[in-house]
Amino acid sequence: MDWKKPVKFKIGSEDWEMPLNVLVLLGFITLVLLGLGAWMGFSFGSPN
């Protein structure tokens, strides 16, 4: 698999292009932060 292959996509009226490995890294970081936020919200919101 070519991890340096540029991926093109459009957000609004802007055209974006970034390598596949950067896109996968950003997705992984986003999922980790979402998971940590959900865990912290659950732990701080519990009545213990």
Side-chain angles (χ1 to χ4, degrees):
M1 187 169 204
D2 185 17
W3 290 100
K4 298 288 183 181
K5 178 184 180 213
V7 178
K8 297 177 183 177
F9 53 94
K10 188 173 201 157
I11 299 177
S13 62
E14 296 292 323
D15 291 331
W16 289 79
E17 180 177 338
M18 66 177 60
L20 181 60
N21 58 357
V22 174
L23 200 59
V24 169
L25 180 66
L26 287 175
F28 178 72
I29 290 172
T30 301
L31 290 176
V32 167
L33 289 176
L34 281 170
L36 286 174
W39 175 75
M40 287 178 68
F42 182 76
S43 64
F44 287 132
S46 63
N48 294 357

